[in-house]
Amino acid sequence: MATINFLIKGSSSEPYKVVFAQTGDGQLTATCTCQAGLKGTYCKHRMAILEGNFSAIVSGNTVEAETIQKWFKGTELETIFLSIISTEAQINALDKELNSFKKKLARTMLGNKK
């Protein structure tokens, strides 16, 4: 199993350790020492690397982050990741539409039809 370790600047005074591993079957796993990562929940530090945002890497190995991008392609993790991105886009569009209707309702309640 191949692994790559990163130190990521976060809200803690000490950087978080993020470890990506490519399993024998070509899948990708990732851990992080932040509170969310330790609890096994959604972690923005792992997501940032998967998104190609390497700005918080303080371990000086951003070139290796590009390897993670290669490992990521075609994995189950990528499929799930793309579903998250798509769903977030849908939520954002619906949120904009909802806010538009709320503003229209407020204007109409005040007698302003525009």
Side-chain angles (χ1 to χ4, degrees), residues 6-24:
F6 299 97
L7 294 177
I8 306 292
K9 178 66 180 142
S11 58
S12 175
S13 60
E14 293 295 316
Y16 300 119
K17 183 177 181 180
V18 175
V19 178
F20 283 90
Q22 187 180 42
T23 63

Side-chain angles (χ1 to χ4, degrees), residues 39-69:
K39 292 178 184 174
T41 60
Y42 180 91
C43 161
K44 63 184 177 184
H45 310 103
R46 293 176 285 185
M47 291 298 289
I49 292 174
L50 294 177
E51 290 172 342
N53 179 356
F54 310 147
S55 62
I57 297 174
V58 295
S59 48
N61 58 338
T62 54
V63 171
E64 288 184 296
E66 294 173 10
T67 300
I68 300 303
Q69 298 289 301

Side-chain angles (χ1 to χ4, degrees), residues 98-110 112-114:
L98 176 61
N99 285 330
S100 175
F101 283 126
K102 285 180 177 180
K103 288 176 185 177
K104 186 175 181 179
L105 176 67
R107 286 191 307 269
T108 303
M109 291 171 88
L110 294 172
N112 184 353
K113 304 279 183 176
K114 293 183 179 185

Side-chain angles (χ1 to χ4, degrees), residues 51-107:
E51 290 172 342
N53 179 356
F54 310 147
S55 62
I57 297 174
V58 295
S59 48
N61 58 338
T62 54
V63 171
E64 288 184 296
E66 294 173 10
T67 300
I68 300 303
Q69 298 289 301
K70 292 175 187 169
W71 289 356
F72 184 49
K73 296 292 181 201
T75 63
E76 179 183 11
L77 193 60
E78 182 187 34
T79 302
I80 297 167
F81 176 84
L82 293 173
S83 294
I84 289 170
I85 299 300
S86 173
T87 302
E88 285 178 340
Q90 292 172 26
I91 289 169
N92 289 335
L94 287 171
D95 191 46
K96 285 182 182 181
E97 184 177 5
L98 176 61
N99 285 330
S100 175
F101 283 126
K102 285 180 177 180
K103 288 176 185 177
K104 186 175 181 179
L105 176 67
R107 286 191 307 269

